[in-house]
Amino acid sequence: MHTQSDESLYHQMRGGDEQALETLYDKYERLLFSFAHRFTNNDRLSEEVIQEVWMKIWNGRVDFNTEKGKFSSWVLTITRNAALDCLRREKRQPTIEIEERDGGFDEPVERTVVQRETASEVREAVQALKPEQQELIELVYFKGLTQQQISDQLELPLGTVKTRIRSAIQALRKLLEGRER
């Protein structure tokens, strides 16, 4: 049995093929829910995010370009942005917990354990950073702010924000590399 590529299904769906939409939805629903849940830590909000993502795709409000990357990366980016938008509407902060939906993943237990350990190591490493660096990592990665938004919020020049973010990332990388040894 030949399965169609995500790109092929996407183009069929954009042509009005509801079966192609259903196939893509079935393939990505669990992954996208889990990914959204990492930000929202809330089943209801995660479901809303997923619904919003597929409505945007179905209605053509977002376009996939095969030259810019894989379909899976594109749909995860849309989900991340939708989750952050949802949290802004709800005035909530994203979480960085790795959660499972109903514990029903087909992934091996070892993979789940490794993901949780990695997330825990990252959280610990972030906590080991200087408070200013922690704040920048939180703003850029977990709250999804742009460098310009951070500059405005902290009332710092954009160049200073860029330099400090780069410094925080380098410090975080050193901490994480030190844990691997």
Side-chain angles (χ1 to χ4, degrees), residues 1-5 8:
M1 179 174 113
H2 180 273
T3 56
Q4 292 181 291
S5 70
S8 173

Side-chain angles (χ1 to χ4, degrees), residues 122-141:
V122 170
R123 281 192 298 276
E124 288 175 16
V126 169
Q127 292 300 316
L129 293 173
K130 296 176 188 173
E132 316 81 58
Q133 291 175 325
Q134 287 180 28
E135 179 182 30
L136 287 170
I137 295 294
E138 175 75 21
L139 292 172
V140 77
Y141 288 105

Side-chain angles (χ1 to χ4, degrees), residues 151-163:
S151 171
D152 295 342
Q153 182 174 329
L154 298 179
E155 298 177 354
L156 291 170
L158 181 59
T160 301
V161 169
K162 289 180 179 184
T163 300

Side-chain angles (χ1 to χ4, degrees), residues 2 18 37 114 118 131 133:
H2 180 273
E18 292 180 16
H37 205 273
V114 168
T118 302
Q133 291 175 325

Side-chain angles (χ1 to χ4, degrees), residues 79-148:
T79 303
R80 175 189 177 274
N81 293 340
L84 291 172
D85 290 345
C86 179
L87 290 172
R88 286 184 195 110
R89 285 190 305 268
E90 295 278 327
K91 306 253 190 283
R92 296 178 57 187
Q93 300 300 316
T95 66
I96 56 172
E97 296 296 321
I98 295 179
E99 297 289 333
E100 294 180 336
R101 181 179 184 189
D102 303 327
F105 280 104
D106 296 328
E107 298 180 67
V109 172
E110 297 85 13
R111 186 178 198 181
T112 303
V113 170
V114 168
Q115 286 175 337
R116 287 188 177 178
E117 286 175 357
T118 302
S120 176
E121 289 174 6
V122 170
R123 281 192 298 276
E124 288 175 16
V126 169
Q127 292 300 316
L129 293 173
K130 296 176 188 173
E132 316 81 58
Q133 291 175 325
Q134 287 180 28
E135 179 182 30
L136 287 170
I137 295 294
E138 175 75 21
L139 292 172
V140 77
Y141 288 105
F142 302 124
K143 291 187 179 176
L145 298 182
T146 65
Q147 292 176 342
Q148 184 62 57

